[in-house]
Amino acid sequence: MPAKMSLDEKFMKAALKEAKKAWSIDEVPIGCVIVQNDKIIARGYNRRNIDKNTLAHAELTAIRKASRKTGDWRLEDCTMYITLEPCQMCAGAIVQSRMKKVVIGAMNPKAGCAGSVLNLLQMAQFNHQVEIVHGIMEAECAEMLSSFFANLRVRKNERRRSEMAGEKQSK
Ligand SMILES: [Zn+2]
């Protein structure tokens, strides 16, 4: 269904825009939007370092905002678009919020809990399971993370080099 694909891409693009906000403050670029009735009702991006808060993941911020907006902790008719597969904490919150569906950009083989390490979103033992769609704008989402980390490595090396140069000078 190409029409539906383009809607998914549109919302994933909005999530990528949130990820860019994280990048602009030197955070790992992960972004997320929550959609209800084809409208974005909440946005979030990773702010863990700047807020010095483990809970400042994009998904938790967006869930908090969506609940504030709807006046309900249940997000039963909502879909979350997220640039990277959620961690165990966020996957837990997604299940707790009764989110209908999660659309994922890039998977996270080392830490993802929507199918990679675990699939917390679809445990038959829990009282709620979340539909999962992945691979929407996967290349763009993965690319944003890999270029962020490549950039970080370059900057670290430059810093190390200039520190070494400074040490030599002070000797
Ligand atoms: Zn998380």
Side-chain angles (χ1 to χ4, degrees):
M1 284 190 293
K4 188 148 188 302
M5 267 299 283
S6 73
L7 204 58
D8 276 346
E9 283 179 5
K10 179 185 142 186
F11 292 131
M12 191 58 80
K13 239 177 231 174
L16 274 164
K17 212 168 151 186
E18 292 302 303
K20 273 184 204 144
K21 288 185 192 167
W23 189 332
S24 73
I25 54 168
D26 269 345
E27 295 275 359
V28 177
I30 302 165
C32 155
V33 298
I34 295 178
V35 171
Q36 186 183 45
N37 302 325
D38 291 343
K39 267 200 202 117
I40 294 174
I41 59 161
R43 300 164 201 264
Y45 59 93
N46 178 33
R47 299 178 51 93
R48 186 169 59 177
N49 279 316
I50 204 157
D51 288 352
K52 312 261 181 284
N53 187 347
T54 302
L55 308 179
H57 283 194
E59 300 94 313
L60 296 193
T61 302
I63 286 174
R64 195 179 303 120
K65 286 184 182 170
S67 287
R68 203 180 298 150
K69 185 130 182 183
T70 59
D72 195 344
W73 62 267
R74 290 178 204 83
L75 301 173
E76 281 164 340
D77 53 351
C78 294
T79 298
M80 176 183 281
Y81 289 79
I82 170 94
T83 57
L84 183 69
E85 184 183 2
C87 71
Q88 66 274 50
M89 170 179 74
C90 295
I94 290 165
V95 172
Q96 289 291 339
S97 76
R98 310 272 200 275
M99 190 84 58
K100 184 175 194 295
K101 187 163 117 181
V102 168
V103 181
I104 299 165
M107 294 301 273
N108 186 0
K110 286 183 192 156
C113 287
S116 291
V117 176
L118 280 177
N119 189 351
L120 285 175
L121 298 185
Q122 296 179 329
M123 302 276 293
Q125 298 93 326
F126 292 148
N127 64 348
H128 181 77
Q129 289 78 35
V130 186
E131 283 172 48
I132 301 174
V133 174
H134 56 82
I136 304 296
M137 300 189 71
E138 188 170 10
E140 289 87 342
C141 292
E143 159 69 18
M144 181 170 294
L145 283 161
S146 57
S147 39
F148 173 82
F149 285 113
N151 189 276
L152 200 69
R153 276 193 297 274
V154 168
R155 279 165 41 199
K156 257 188 199 156
N157 286 338
E158 276 171 2
R159 208 180 309 141
R160 202 172 305 147
R161 225 171 287 142
S162 72
E163 274 168 14
M164 277 163 66
E167 270 171 33
K168 268 181 202 158
Q169 266 178 359
S170 66
K171 272 177 193 164

